[in-house]
Amino acid sequence: MTCYSFSRVGLYNQCPKKFQYRYLDHVEVEWGSSPDLILWISVHETLEWLYKQVNIFIIPTKEETLSKFHELWDKWIEEAWEGLIYKWDQTDSDYIRRWEHYIESYYNKYAPFEWIKVIWTELQLYFTLQEEGEEEWRSFWWKVDRLDKEWEDTFVINDYKTNIYLPPEQKEDYKEQLTLYALWVKEKYGKYLKKIKAKLHYLHFDITDEWEVTDDLIQPIKERYEKIIDEIEKKKLLYEQNPNDKNIFPTKSNSFCKYCEYLNECPLFNHLLQEDEPISGWEIWETTVKRLVDEYAEITSNIWKETKKKDNIKEVLIEYADSKWYEQLFWNENNMKITKTWNYSMKDKPALKKYLIEKWVFNEVWDVSRSSVTKMVEDGTIDEKTAKELLEYKDSWRVSISKKKEEKENE
């Protein structure tokens, strides 16, 4: 039985192929640490230390809390020094300044911490999503940053975020995560509580997103994750039987691709990292793959431009001919015949099929085309009342080009 986490499910949603590489193929990659990760670890360990002190009725000062952060930061930086990867030309001082701002704002907001009773910090929890009697494969493991008891009967699930970008309201990933944790809280502490709340602490913005977790919120999220995990498990079985099938876990292009550690393996990007290769084919002089890609793109672009220009010319000429009541236009070597036609499009195809089946005109397995519908209106198979309800009348134009007759005769 696989034990899932939000990061594992999130990775599958981000890119099924990446999920395959990491959890099924176990492709080895060189992992580099980053100051962002060290900041995240140091933040969580500092706040864990702070609340452990609070829970034994010791209230550290702000300076002591900052000192603890520096101690943890220095420890992790020293361990990861050679493998550190900095982004956007940031330095250690940039990260330290960020965290000092976080800790000061957080400390000022919640000190002196007298109203809180901490049940757990950095709590590792395990829970299942399935109902009684179902197979035990929808299991979750994760770590909760802090679980508090607030007032007499309210438990609060807390999570710290160090993102420098504030997720929009419609991005529900974090909220779903904390809401689903409430399943474990209800299972373990149900007799002590009447209400569960969740709090997301966005430390960079000094914003706290807080909501009550009710059964009405939990159930649809639970069902969605059950469905995703079932989908993954079924694909895993298929992959075990057909390990060479590349389509079971497809690639998904998104903004995370440029940071992906599997670019060397990924069918979407591994060619980018390869040397250019010679290639030739029917009516193509020897060239290289990458040059041919550029040439194909240029031809495609020109075709699109010419097609757009052609459509614009056609529209202008049709409008001109219709305004003059011309059915044919002439110039130089060619003439253009313009014919106005009409047809019906279907507003409600299922209802129309049902109508035709009841009239014994069509069988359920047959399809209804636009041309056949137009013909049935013309011959009266579809009556006028039904045509008005289920069909929509549309004008259309047919354009054909031919050589002028006199030139053909002189050839």
Side-chain angles (χ1 to χ4, degrees):
M1 176 184 66
T2 302
C3 190
Y4 283 85
S5 65
F6 279 95
S7 58
R8 186 174 287 225
V9 172
L11 185 67
Y12 174 80
N13 288 332
Q14 181 191 121
C15 178
K17 184 61 71 179
K18 188 173 182 178
F19 179 94
Q20 174 197 318
Y21 290 149
R22 181 174 297 178
Y23 294 113
L24 303 182
D25 298 342
H26 305 290
V27 176
E28 293 186 8
V29 294
E30 291 186 10
W31 293 93
S33 186
S34 71
D36 292 279
L37 177 60
I38 291 176
L39 175 66
W40 181 85
I41 294 171
S42 302
V43 164
H44 282 72
E45 289 190 350
T46 302
L47 291 176
E48 180 184 9
W49 172 83
L50 170 65
Y51 280 103
K52 280 184 176 179
Q53 300 302 303
V54 169
N55 213 28
I56 56 174
F57 308 106
I58 298 173
I59 309 300
T61 65
K62 188 192 307 182
E63 290 71 25
E64 289 172 333
T65 307
L66 282 167
S67 177
K68 186 65 179 179
F69 163 72
H70 282 284
E71 175 190 327
L72 292 166
W73 172 267
D74 291 342
K75 181 192 77 169
W76 286 108
I77 285 289
E78 184 178 353
E79 288 186 12
W81 182 257
E82 292 185 359
L84 276 177
I85 301 171
Y86 286 84
K87 295 179 182 177
W88 307 304
D89 298 323
Q90 294 190 45
T91 64
D92 281 357
S93 59
D94 295 320
Y95 287 93
I96 291 172
R97 185 172 59 254
R98 273 173 59 192
W99 170 240
E100 287 179 342
H101 172 77
Y102 297 167
I103 195 64
E104 287 189 25
S105 297
Y106 188 90
Y107 193 97
N108 292 336
K109 187 173 185 178
Y110 293 104
F113 310 101
E114 294 175 342
W115 53 271
I116 194 171
K117 298 295 181 184
V118 180
I119 299 173
W120 289 98
T121 58
E122 298 299 317
L123 168 66
Q124 294 189 32
L125 55 83
Y126 173 90
F127 59 94
T128 57
L129 298 180
Q130 62 268 16
E131 303 295 337
E132 186 177 350
E134 291 184 323
E135 293 183 66
E136 290 192 7
W137 67 2
R138 293 192 295 266
S139 302
F140 253 72
W141 173 90
W142 200 243
K143 186 181 285 187
V144 172
D145 292 340
R146 197 177 84 240
L147 181 65
D148 301 335
K149 178 179 176 293
E150 186 178 284
W151 313 121
E152 291 186 2
D153 55 9
T154 301
F155 278 42
V156 184
I157 305 165
N158 295 271
D159 197 64
Y160 314 122
K161 300 299 178 187
T162 57
N163 314 46
I164 60 173
Y165 301 106
L166 184 65
E169 285 188 44
Q170 61 268 30
K171 186 173 174 58
E172 296 291 332
D173 298 28
Y174 295 154
K175 285 193 173 183
E176 288 184 353
Q177 181 177 333
L178 267 65
T179 299
L180 208 52
Y181 289 164
L183 283 173
W184 183 90
V185 176
K186 288 179 65 177
E187 179 184 332
K188 297 296 180 182
Y189 297 105
K191 73 175 184 177
Y192 301 116
L193 61 87
K194 291 182 181 178
K195 185 186 296 186
I196 300 176
K197 292 198 301 185
K199 287 184 180 180
L200 278 168
H201 302 269
Y202 293 105
L203 301 178
H204 190 80
F205 302 94
D206 194 21
I207 290 176
T208 302
D209 191 358
E210 179 179 335
W211 67 97
E212 183 179 348
V213 181
T214 63
D215 290 340
D216 289 342
L217 280 179
I218 294 173
Q219 191 58 31
I221 296 173
K222 176 176 178 289
E223 290 174 357
R224 194 166 80 82
Y225 277 84
E226 286 175 346
K227 185 177 179 181
I228 295 171
I229 294 174
D230 287 350
E231 178 182 310
I232 296 172
E233 289 293 326
K234 288 173 183 175
K235 286 190 173 186
K236 282 170 60 179
L237 289 174
L238 282 175
Y239 188 67
E240 288 175 7
Q241 298 165 3
N242 306 281
N244 295 322
D245 189 339
K246 299 178 181 179
N247 298 316
I248 296 175
F249 289 93
T251 56
K252 184 188 286 187
S253 180
N254 54 59
S255 59
F256 296 101
C257 288
K258 58 185 175 181
Y259 305 115
C260 182
E261 62 271 24
Y262 299 106
L263 290 182
N264 282 323
E265 307 290 333
C266 178
L268 276 176
F269 291 97
N270 56 6
H271 181 255
L272 177 66
L273 307 175
Q274 306 303 317
E275 296 292 331
D276 204 1
E277 295 179 278
I279 192 172
S280 61
W282 182 73
E283 293 191 356
I284 296 175
W285 294 103
E286 186 170 326
T287 180
T288 67
V289 173
K290 295 183 180 181
R291 286 178 187 171
L292 203 56
V293 169
D294 287 340
E295 185 178 347
Y296 180 84
E298 184 179 355
I299 292 171
T300 302
S301 176
N302 290 335
I303 290 173
W304 179 83
K305 290 176 183 176
E306 291 300 316
T307 301
K308 186 175 181 181
K309 182 178 179 181
K310 172 189 166 187
D311 290 341
N312 289 338
I313 292 172
K314 176 181 173 182
E315 185 178 339
V316 170
L317 290 174
I318 287 173
E319 187 175 340
Y320 169 79
D322 188 42
S323 68
K324 299 287 188 178
W325 291 76
Y326 294 148
E327 294 185 4
Q328 199 161 202
L329 302 177
F330 298 87
W331 194 251
N332 295 336
E333 300 178 355
N334 303 299
N335 63 302
M336 173 187 283
K337 188 174 182 181
I338 301 173
T339 308
K340 186 175 183 179
T341 62
W342 58 272
N343 56 46
Y344 285 93
S345 63
M346 291 165 272
K347 292 190 284 188
D348 190 342
K349 188 172 182 178
L352 180 63
K353 286 189 73 172
K354 182 180 178 183
Y355 167 81
L356 295 173
I357 290 168
E358 289 173 353
K359 292 197 67 173
W360 297 88
V361 176
F362 271 86
N363 188 286
E364 288 187 20
V365 298
W366 297 349
D367 198 11
V368 186
S369 66
R370 182 179 295 181
S371 59
S372 63
V373 167
T374 301
K375 184 177 179 182
M376 283 187 283
V377 173
E378 289 177 337
D379 64 22
T381 302
I382 299 177
D383 60 55
E384 185 177 343
K385 180 175 178 295
T386 302
K388 287 181 179 179
E389 291 177 355
L390 304 179
L391 304 175
E392 184 178 1
Y393 175 86
K394 287 187 176 181
D395 290 333
S396 63
W397 298 87
R398 185 179 296 118
V399 173
S400 58
I401 300 292
S402 60
K403 292 287 186 181
K404 292 168 69 173
K405 286 185 179 179
E406 54 268 28
E407 287 193 5
K408 287 184 179 180
E409 292 171 357
N410 292 333
E411 289 180 354

